[in-house]
Every structure is written in structure tokens, then in C-alpha cells.
Amino acid sequence: MTFACKKRHETIKEVKEFKINTPNKVANATFTVMSIIDNRCPEDANCVSPGSVSVYLKIQEDFEIHNLKFCVGDCKEIGAIDDIIINLSNVKYEIKLINVSPLPNATTPITPELIQFEISRD
């Protein structure tokens, strides 16, 4: 009898926190949140819609640059999504925007400081 072994396919998933304009190394690439456009409903207000928040992420690996736009909330008109699949160094990555904090405040201007992405690698 002969048995063949098959390499087990395992997905690695982790949540990474980013700050605007602060490069972070993920595998062989550098991830940098370039800008945020926050049009979400403030936490201390009653709004007709939840609004949206857009995050612009630059990924650089060697000499290749990827500019990605993520959006959470009411994003239909913007044309961006919260989940993007991209190949980096021949490895498939799924990048999902999961949180931008803090929430806006109607009485006190607040700039979002912390961006969380869930990054999965096959």
C-alpha cells in the first residue's frame, strides 16, 4: 500500500491596527493608511442614514504600489467596498476593513485615529 500526503492548506488570519500615515510591515509589504474620509453619523446625533467612512490604503512591495479604497457604511454611491483580495509576492491576501475609531462626535470634532484591518493569507 502506498499513501500520498497532501500538504494541508491553512489560512492565516490576523487583525492589524494602523494609524494614519504610519507605515506597517505585513509580510514583505508595507501598508500605509494614506487618508480617511469620515462621513458617519456622529455618536451623539440622530441621523437618517448611518453615513460612511472611506479609508485609502497604500501597499508597497519592492517597486510595486497598490492604492486601495475601502468603505464601510452607506457606500453604494462611492463604489468602494470593505473587502479586497490582492496578490502580493504570489500569495493571495484578503484585506477587510473592520473598524475606524473613534466615532465622530457632533459637538467635538474628532479625527479617526485607529484603523483595523483583518488580513487573511492563504
Side-chain angles (χ1 to χ4, degrees), residues 18-24 30-37 54-60 65-70 97 111-113 115 117:
F18 297 86
K19 291 187 177 197
I20 194 163
N21 294 320
T22 304
N24 281 327
T30 302
F31 287 55
T32 307
V33 173
M34 301 305 293
S35 65
I36 300 168
I37 298 174
S54 297
V55 176
Y56 296 84
L57 178 68
K58 179 176 88 172
I59 301 174
Q60 183 170 358
I65 295 175
H66 307 272
N67 291 302
L68 307 175
K69 180 180 177 182
F70 295 85
L97 176 62
T111 303
E113 295 179 0
I115 303 94
F117 285 99

Side-chain angles (χ1 to χ4, degrees), residues 1 54 59 72 79 93 97 99 106:
M1 290 181 134
S54 297
I59 301 174
V72 173
Y93 285 83
L97 176 62
N99 190 35

Side-chain angles (χ1 to χ4, degrees), residues 14-112:
E14 59 186 320
V15 174
K16 293 271 193 181
E17 294 183 347
F18 297 86
K19 291 187 177 197
I20 194 163
N21 294 320
T22 304
N24 281 327
K25 202 79 162 141
V26 176
N28 294 329
T30 302
F31 287 55
T32 307
V33 173
M34 301 305 293
S35 65
I36 300 168
I37 298 174
D38 195 354
N39 294 315
R40 295 175 292 175
C41 180
E43 63 183 348
D44 56 344
N46 291 321
C47 302
V48 175
S49 79
S52 64
V53 61
S54 297
V55 176
Y56 296 84
L57 178 68
K58 179 176 88 172
I59 301 174
Q60 183 170 358
E61 63 170 334
D62 298 323
F63 299 107
E64 192 170 351
I65 295 175
H66 307 272
N67 291 302
L68 307 175
K69 180 180 177 182
F70 295 85
C71 184
V72 173
D74 189 8
C75 304
K76 293 180 195 103
E77 294 175 10
I78 300 170
I81 54 174
D82 68 343
D83 190 0
I84 295 175
I85 295 174
I86 188 169
N87 283 313
L88 302 171
S89 300
N90 296 320
V91 176
K92 184 175 88 172
Y93 285 83
E94 180 178 5
I95 304 166
K96 182 173 184 170
L97 176 62
I98 57 173
N99 190 35
V100 178
S101 61
L103 285 170
N105 188 295
T107 56
T108 308
I110 295 176
T111 303

